[in-house]
């Protein structure tokens, strides 16, 4: 039995290019997992093993790996930084107990790191901060820590200070123990010596040491009182307090270094062992009611004696078959066990279990609470499903995924590809819940939906390369919606008499605009039994089924409220079907009268630009019908926040790079739907008419 106190499940997350994958590489090298570090910029890193990743130098999938440091077992997940793959980050955070946030020493807190940080706050994950790339031009540790305070509203607890800046960066000072770690020029992580603090840094170290102790001791009143009275706490006591505060997210121990040059990574590993929580120290996962999603008041206690509870958080398909990544929260899983998938209600036998190291695997026969493993060949399991003991059914907290906002139509070039495409897409949807597929009923085209251009671009690329499906790809389409803007009171009667029993249903109703983001609401105020209660569900179903297709351009309808206030029925001829047909007829009759409008997705856009290009960027966003919300000047440039319609954002990254000589960056996420201007709405409706006429 391995001791759970020696487990650390951690994730490494940050903005694109802050050095997450390089940091992971160095950790693996230090812990003896790999003997030669691969470089991202050479396309050789261990965890970026997809072709698409090596080419673009970005991480797309979160890779899992296991290593050991000072008798502690670390399960590490390297997550993507790019905005279109935030779902990967979100998923990973769900199953982690702690994380390392990596920030670039020169870029600082970038747009995407903010989103990831917000996700981690929501998931209440304890983190340490690693300010990387301090050997770069323009790197400034103190500026980045100030940004962490200002932009992320987090409290960095400074644990190491850099010795030397930019190309003269040689090592770090440990503020707690007041020792200097200095590396030589060989670039080998083990070649360092521990010396006294350089003379010119003694005062700074003293000041930070004092600050560190005061912040840490706030976790323990008795120690703080004794310290005020002049009694120094021991290093072990201080470490205990730092651990407590990190776990409660009161502060974040902050380290500095250069992963590429192998400086300062050991200190981060020590910090993971010293300060990040083990699986038993994290608040246990609540169990929920499978029907309502409400918490039941029970928890998955991390203990091997408890019944098995595990969460499938990622599915990956490779040459060996489907791999389901699972985090075990409680109990033990043995090879050959039968487990229940609470989402489908089906049981499955566990054939093979493996421990993952990026793309390699080691077979195992037993796993226990706190482990992150992969099970080979599971059927019907999707991301977010709970796997549990058949005798103790339970559901862990479900995962919520964002709605896709952009779609493209694809069609296979030849007959042979059609079947291949169907199988491949089925696998990809199981892997990535933010990627959806549907078939256009009229044209028979396959529509792929995703979170952004890059997201869909990569999906098409995977289809071509991994699965060998040749595709023709259409233009990106925006997910428009329709709504109504005025109230209509109306009546509709459905009657049909054709020998035998007829059909009769009469409804009097009001249709009005609903609350924003409410979708469809139905209520009834009928008194006196003019429409019997048993027909209400049929009427609601009739209206609801029509919401899928609006009257303007055939897009789904949002935010409509229907109130039934009166009607009539026939003792013989009325039936649920008759009232359902009446409701459908009523929808067709009344929606055109309620001043329908086209609404479009508005994105929350966050652009970073160097100072000298701010005017160009803002002017360009205005041309794209953007609403500028906020401007924030930083040390290296300005961040502009705006709300911009998605339809105007296609190809934006190219344009931004051209305007800012390649230095601009942006991130965007869906914000809300808003009314389309008349000229845009007309163009969209015209397009819909052309599409319809072509069929």
């Amino acid at each position: 039995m391995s001791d759970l106190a020696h487990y650390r499940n951690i994730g490494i997350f940050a903005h694109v290019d802050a050095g997450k994958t390089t940091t992971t590489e160095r950790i693996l090298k230090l812990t003896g997992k790999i003997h030669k570090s691969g470089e991202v910029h050479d396309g050789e890193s261990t965890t970026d093993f997809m072709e698409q990743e090596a080419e673009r130098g970005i991480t797309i999938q979160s890779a899992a790996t296991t290593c050991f440091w000072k008798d502690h077992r670390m399960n590490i997940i390297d997550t993507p930084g790019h905005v279109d793959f935030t779902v990967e980050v979100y998923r990973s955070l769900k199953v982690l107990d702690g994380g390392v946030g990596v920030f670039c020493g020169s870029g600082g807190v970038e747009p995407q790191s903010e989103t990831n940080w917000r996700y981690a706050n929501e998931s209440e994950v304890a983190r340490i901060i690693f300010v990387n790339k301090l050997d770069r031009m323009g790197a400034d540790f103190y500026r980045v820590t100030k940004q962490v305070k200002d932009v992320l509203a987090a409290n960095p607890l400074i644990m190491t200070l850099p010795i030397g800046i930019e190309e003269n960066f040689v090592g770090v000072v440990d503020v707690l123990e007041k020792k200097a770690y200095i590396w030589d020029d060989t670039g080998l992580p083990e070649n360092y010596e521990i010396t006294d603090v350089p003379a010119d840094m003694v005062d700074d170290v003293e000041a930070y040491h004092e600050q560190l102790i005061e912040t840490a001791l706030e976790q323990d009143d008795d120690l703080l009182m004794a310290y005020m009275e002049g009694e120094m706490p021991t290093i072990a006591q201080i470490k205990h307090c730092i651990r407590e505060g990190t776990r409660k997210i009161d502060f974040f121990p902050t380290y500095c270094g250069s992963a590429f040059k192998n400086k300062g990574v050991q200190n981060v590993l020590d910090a993971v062992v010293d300060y990040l929580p083990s699986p038993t120290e994290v608040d246990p996962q609540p169990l929920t009611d499978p029907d309502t999603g409400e918490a039941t008041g029970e928890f998955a206690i991390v203990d091997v004696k408890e019944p098995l509870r595990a969460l499938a958080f990622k599915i990956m398909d490779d040459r060996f078959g489907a791999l389901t990544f699972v985090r075990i929260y409680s109990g033990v899983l043995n090879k050959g066990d039968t487990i229940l998938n609470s989402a489908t209600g089906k049981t499955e036998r566990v054939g093979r279990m493996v421990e993952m190291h990026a793309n390699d695997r080691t077979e195992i026969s037993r796993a226990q609470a706190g482990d992150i493993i992969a099970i080979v060949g599971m059927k019907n399991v999707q991301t977010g499903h709970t796997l549990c003991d058949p005798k103790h059914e339970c559901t862990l907290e479900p995962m919520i995924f964002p709605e896709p906002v952009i779609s493209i139509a694809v069609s296979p070039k030849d007959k042979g590809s059609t079947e291949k495409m169907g199988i491949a897409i089925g696998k990809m949807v199981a892997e990535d819940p933010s990627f959806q597929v549907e078939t256009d009923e009229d044209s028979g085209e396959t529509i792929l939906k995703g979170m952004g251009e890059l997201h869909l671009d990569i999906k098409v690329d995977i289809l071509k390369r991994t699965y060998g499906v040749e595709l023709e790809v259409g233009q990106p389409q925006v997910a428009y919606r329709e709504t109504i803007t005025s109230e209509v009171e109306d009546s509709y009667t459905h009657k049909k008499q054709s020998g035998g029993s007829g059909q009769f249903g009469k409804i009097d109703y009001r249709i009005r605009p609903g609350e924003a983001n409410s979708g469809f609401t139905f209520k009834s105020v009928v008194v006196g039994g003019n429409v019997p209660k048993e027909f209400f569900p049929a009427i609601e179903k009739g209206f609801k089924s029509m919401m899928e297709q609006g009257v303007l351009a055939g897009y789904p309808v949002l935010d409509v409220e229907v109130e039934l206030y009166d009607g009539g029925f026939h003792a013989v001829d009325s039936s649920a079907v008759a009232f359902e047909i009446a409701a459908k007829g009523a929808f067709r009759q009344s929606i055109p009268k309620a001043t329908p409008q086209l609404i479009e997705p508005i994105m929350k856009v966050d652009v970073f630009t160097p100072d000298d290009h701010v005017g160009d960027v803002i002017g360009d966003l205005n041309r794209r019908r953007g609403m500028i919300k906020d401007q924030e000047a930083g040390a290296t440039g300005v961040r502009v926040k705006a709300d911009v319609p998605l339809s105007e954002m296609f190809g934006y990254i190219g344009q931004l790079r051209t305007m800012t000589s390649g230095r601009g960056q942006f991130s965007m996420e869906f914000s809300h739907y808003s009314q389309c201007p008349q000229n845009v709405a007309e163009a969209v409706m015209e397009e819909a008419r052309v599409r319809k006429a072509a069929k």
Side-chain angles (χ1 to χ4, degrees):
M1 260 325 283
S2 28
D3 178 7
L4 281 175
H6 284 196
Y7 269 60
R8 297 287 181 272
N9 290 324
I10 60 166
I12 296 186
F13 56 94
H15 190 86
V16 183
D17 282 350
K20 296 177 296 300
T21 305
T22 310
T23 307
T24 313
E25 283 291 311
R26 299 304 183 257
I27 291 176
L28 295 179
K29 171 104 175 42
L30 272 170
T31 54
K33 257 295 179 185
I34 52 176
H35 299 297
K36 169 185 172 290
S37 308
E39 298 308 340
V40 176
H41 28 250
D42 300 338
E44 287 176 356
S45 63
T46 316
T47 50
D48 286 353
F49 49 81
M50 290 168 59
E51 286 180 12
Q52 291 79 2
E53 294 179 311
E55 273 184 18
R56 292 180 166 85
I58 59 172
T59 307
I60 297 168
Q61 292 185 337
S62 21
T65 176
T66 306
C67 56
F68 288 85
W69 180 255
K70 297 194 173 167
D71 298 333
H72 283 65
R73 176 191 175 109
M74 292 187 193
N75 296 319
I76 301 177
I77 296 184
D78 173 25
T79 62
H82 203 285
V83 58
D84 287 2
F85 306 104
T86 35
V87 63
E88 283 276 342
V89 180
Y90 188 63
R91 272 200 292 211
S92 309
L93 284 169
K94 256 300 199 230
V95 297
L96 296 171
D97 305 325
V100 179
V102 182
F103 295 104
C104 170
S106 56
V109 176
E110 293 166 293
Q112 194 52 37
S113 18
E114 218 176 308
T115 313
N116 291 345
W117 196 261
R118 196 172 66 241
Y119 277 155
N121 284 345
E122 283 169 14
S123 305
E124 295 179 355
V125 173
R127 286 146 281 169
I128 53 182
I129 293 174
F130 177 49
V131 178
N132 187 17
K133 303 194 177 180
L134 284 183
D135 54 324
R136 286 237 157 104
M137 281 285 291
D140 181 345
F141 175 68
Y142 301 97
R143 191 187 71 238
V144 178
T145 52
K146 186 173 174 315
Q147 275 187 326
V148 169
K149 278 190 195 128
D150 300 347
V151 177
L152 302 175
N155 182 9
L157 182 70
I158 293 178
M159 302 293 293
T160 60
L161 292 173
I163 307 174
I165 59 165
E166 298 180 357
E167 68 268 19
N168 301 327
F169 171 70
V170 289
V172 299
V173 171
D174 183 324
V175 174
L176 179 57
E177 296 185 349
K178 300 190 197 167
K179 297 221 176 70
Y181 290 74
I182 294 178
W183 279 265
D184 62 15
D185 291 339
T186 55
L188 294 168
E190 52 276 9
N191 289 4
Y192 65 93
E193 52 180 6
I194 299 178
T195 61
D196 291 337
V197 175
D200 58 343
M201 289 180 70
V202 171
D203 296 349
D204 275 358
V205 171
E206 239 357 279
Y208 276 103
H209 180 77
E210 211 162 293
Q211 194 183 336
L212 170 80
I213 292 178
E214 280 171 17
T215 312
L217 295 187
E218 282 172 8
Q219 301 293 326
D220 188 323
D221 294 344
D222 299 346
L223 285 175
L224 189 61
M225 289 305 293
Y227 176 68
M228 293 297 187
E229 285 162 12
E231 191 182 316
M232 267 313 270
T234 64
I235 293 271
Q237 286 171 322
I238 301 171
K239 282 192 168 176
H240 177 73
C241 290
I242 299 176
R243 188 174 182 92
E244 272 302 288
T246 309
R247 190 175 69 80
K248 293 182 193 154
I249 324 187
D250 290 346
F251 46 72
F252 304 94
T254 301
Y255 290 80
C256 58
S258 158
F260 182 54
K261 294 278 174 54
N262 273 317
K263 292 173 184 170
V265 180
Q266 286 97 326
N267 310 65
V268 175
L269 281 172
D270 289 345
V272 168
V273 168
D274 288 345
Y275 307 128
L276 286 182
S278 72
T280 50
E281 292 169 311
V282 183
D283 294 338
Q285 284 279 332
L287 300 181
T288 55
D289 182 304
D291 301 325
T292 59
E294 297 295 312
T296 58
E298 288 184 75
F299 291 92
I301 310 290
V302 180
D303 189 348
V304 284
K305 296 184 184 68
E306 288 271 314
L308 173 74
R309 299 187 179 103
L311 182 73
F313 67 97
K314 175 177 167 71
I315 289 167
M316 215 170 94
D317 198 83
D318 70 0
R319 57 189 188 278
F320 300 105
L323 281 175
T324 307
F325 283 83
V326 175
R327 159 79 199 260
I328 303 175
Y329 284 105
S330 64
V332 173
L333 181 62
N334 291 305
K335 193 170 166 177
D337 282 0
T338 298
I339 53 177
L340 170 72
N341 177 351
S342 65
T344 59
K346 294 191 173 124
T347 53
E348 288 198 48
R349 197 171 157 277
V350 176
R352 286 173 59 204
M353 297 191 306
V354 292
E355 201 171 80
M356 293 301 293
H357 172 63
N359 210 13
D360 298 330
R361 60 207 63 201
T362 323
E363 295 261 345
I364 50 174
S365 56
R366 167 183 198 284
Q368 61 168 35
D371 276 334
I372 293 181
I373 58 152
I375 306 176
V376 183
M378 300 262 320
K379 310 254 186 323
N380 308 323
V381 177
Q382 282 184 342
T383 301
H385 283 183
T386 303
L387 306 173
C388 54
D389 183 337
K391 295 190 204 57
H392 298 94
E393 187 172 343
C394 68
T395 305
L396 291 155
E397 189 183 6
M399 296 188 178
I400 297 148
F401 296 109
E403 283 291 307
V405 285
I406 172 171
S407 61
I408 50 173
V410 295
S411 53
K413 282 191 179 164
D414 49 51
K415 282 266 171 52
S417 295
T418 311
E419 194 173 320
K420 270 201 297 201
M421 178 170 94
I423 298 168
I425 286 179
K427 288 178 177 174
M428 286 160 68
V429 170
E431 286 174 19
D432 179 357
S434 61
F435 171 63
Q436 294 178 7
V437 178
E438 53 186 51
T439 309
D440 187 326
E441 284 173 11
D442 303 326
S443 66
E445 287 180 313
T446 304
I447 312 284
L448 308 183
K449 296 180 165 184
M451 301 314 296
E453 279 183 282
L454 180 71
H455 189 197
L456 290 179
D457 188 31
I458 291 212
K459 293 292 178 211
V460 169
D461 201 44
I462 293 175
L463 277 172
K464 282 186 183 163
R465 282 206 230 171
T466 315
Y467 296 104
V469 181
E470 285 297 319
L471 293 175
E472 284 181 7
V473 181
Q475 283 299 310
Q477 298 293 323
V478 176
Y480 289 101
R481 296 286 181 264
E482 298 180 20
T483 188
I484 54 172
T485 50
S486 57
E487 185 171 331
V488 171
E489 193 168 298
D490 216 340
S491 165
Y492 187 88
T493 310
H494 167 70
K495 66 176 183 215
K496 186 171 164 206
Q497 220 53 55
S498 57
S501 64
Q503 287 180 344
F504 180 81
K506 175 174 185 285
I507 50 175
D508 297 344
Y509 54 91
R510 297 183 190 95
I511 288 187
R512 59 171 80 97
E515 294 285 312
N517 302 321
S518 62
F520 169 73
T521 37
F522 175 81
K523 57 183 186 196
S524 159
V525 291
V526 176
V527 283
N530 285 346
V531 179
K533 273 203 173 59
E534 66 258 31
F535 296 138
F536 290 174
I539 298 171
E540 181 174 355
K541 185 178 164 198
F543 276 113
K544 202 166 179 179
S545 66
M546 297 297 285
M547 294 281 291
E548 288 300 310
Q549 219 171 6
V551 293
L552 294 172
Y555 288 103
V557 184
L558 286 184
D559 309 338
V560 170
E561 189 179 301
V562 174
E563 181 181 78
L564 182 70
Y565 68 89
D566 204 1
F569 80 110
H570 187 284
V572 178
D573 290 351
S574 284
S575 63
V577 171
F579 275 102
E580 188 178 327
I581 295 172
K584 288 181 173 174
F587 183 93
R588 277 196 291 271
Q589 169 181 302
S590 305
I591 289 284
K593 300 178 190 171
T595 341
Q597 259 194 339
L598 212 59
I599 48 180
E600 59 182 349
I602 305 292
M603 307 303 277
K604 203 153 82 204
V605 179
D606 182 342
V607 187
F608 169 82
T609 160
D611 290 330
D612 33 358
H613 300 290
V614 178
D616 299 341
V617 168
I618 291 179
D620 182 63
L621 287 170
N622 285 331
R623 275 196 294 284
R624 295 174 185 269
R625 301 195 281 121
M627 288 275 294
I628 308 292
K629 285 286 175 45
D630 187 23
Q631 286 183 57
E632 201 175 286
T636 51
V638 177
R639 288 180 58 184
V640 180
K641 296 186 176 180
D643 285 353
V644 191
L646 174 67
S647 56
E648 305 287 339
M649 288 299 291
F650 291 135
Y652 180 62
I653 185 73
Q655 183 70 28
L656 177 67
R657 291 218 173 115
T658 314
M659 278 186 302
T660 58
S661 331
R663 286 160 60 202
Q665 286 182 324
F666 86 107
S667 75
M668 65 175 185
E669 55 187 328
F670 172 70
S671 166
H672 59 279
Y673 275 98
S674 154
Q675 191 183 326
C676 273
Q678 197 55 41
N679 57 337
V680 175
E682 278 170 5
V684 172
M685 287 179 323
E686 180 55 38
E687 198 182 310
R689 276 196 290 277
V690 170
R691 263 207 318 267
K692 217 163 179 179
K695 287 166 186 173

